[in-house]
Amino acid sequence: MADVLPLVEARLRSALGEPDARAAVTFLGTDRIEVLRFQEGDIVRYATLGMSAQPMSDPTAALADPVKGPRAELILSVRGGLADTDKALRPLAVLGASPQVEGVVVAPGASLDIGEPLWPGAPFTSVLVAEPGGLVEDLELDEPLDPVRFLPLLPMTPNEAAWKRVHGAQALQERWLTNGTDLRDPSRKSVPLD
């Protein structure tokens, strides 16, 4: 079985350019998760590398399938220089390790709660997992492996996360769109929710 991670890193580099920084975090009982930083103009992108090494498995399954199952990496895009967003590396690594640690399947529409600000002073403690395919195309792997999907993360304020739980991801995204919300602004306020 080919090692997936060099292919994933090559796809990230072809889509986003050369990373200008990388950090690695290892949690007890899990594989290492790296976070790569890419800069393009005033946009800084952070991408996990390591989450896709193993397929995500249904937490209710008796045994995890070592081959079949969805694979993903996470990408967070923010405007650089407005906040200390490099401190988001550890929370992103925690989210990248969550399928191994908590047995969750990360998919579009899901909320991932960090339980603390995404970076110091951030108004966000959770993220909405968005649809893949826009920034980095899916990476097809040899059968029987599922493709690796690159899932954008959209930071949510606590009020937005609570509203999303009631009304759903689609309704929150429509609210952001209607209000012209700059989801890359690291210090933006909550969208009007009344």
Side-chain angles (χ1 to χ4, degrees), residues 8-154:
V8 171
E9 184 168 353
R11 175 57 55 93
L12 286 169
R13 286 172 184 265
S14 69
L16 304 176
E18 286 299 310
D20 67 349
R22 65 194 309 146
V25 180
T26 305
F27 302 98
L28 189 63
T30 67
D31 295 330
R32 183 169 100 153
I33 302 288
E34 288 190 87
V35 179
L36 282 57
R37 183 181 71 190
F38 301 87
Q39 293 199 302
E40 181 184 332
D42 69 335
I43 302 298
V44 181
R45 301 189 201 286
Y46 302 95
T48 60
L49 178 63
M51 183 175 165
S52 62
Q54 305 295 326
M56 294 181 275
S57 56
D58 182 345
T60 62
L63 285 173
D65 189 320
V67 176
K68 290 292 289 171
R71 294 174 188 260
E73 296 290 354
L74 308 174
I75 300 177
L76 173 69
S77 300
V78 293
R79 293 201 184 288
L82 302 175
D84 192 6
T85 56
D86 281 353
K87 295 282 192 322
L89 298 178
R90 183 167 179 76
L92 285 173
V94 168
L95 295 178
S98 62
Q100 289 181 59
V101 175
E102 299 171 26
V104 297
V105 175
V106 178
S111 298
L112 302 176
D113 196 327
I114 298 135
E116 60 187 42
L118 198 46
W119 53 81
F124 317 108
T125 56
S126 61
V127 292
L128 174 64
V129 181
E131 290 292 332
L135 191 59
V136 182
E137 286 184 32
D138 291 355
L139 173 64
E140 297 295 331
L141 300 173
D142 294 337
E143 289 290 334
L145 304 181
D146 287 22
V148 176
R149 302 173 85 197
F150 297 89
L151 303 172
L153 300 179
L154 308 175

Side-chain angles (χ1 to χ4, degrees), residues 155-171:
M156 292 189 293
T157 65
N159 285 348
E160 290 170 339
W163 197 85
K164 182 255 176 197
R165 280 192 293 276
V166 174
H167 300 280
Q170 186 65 39

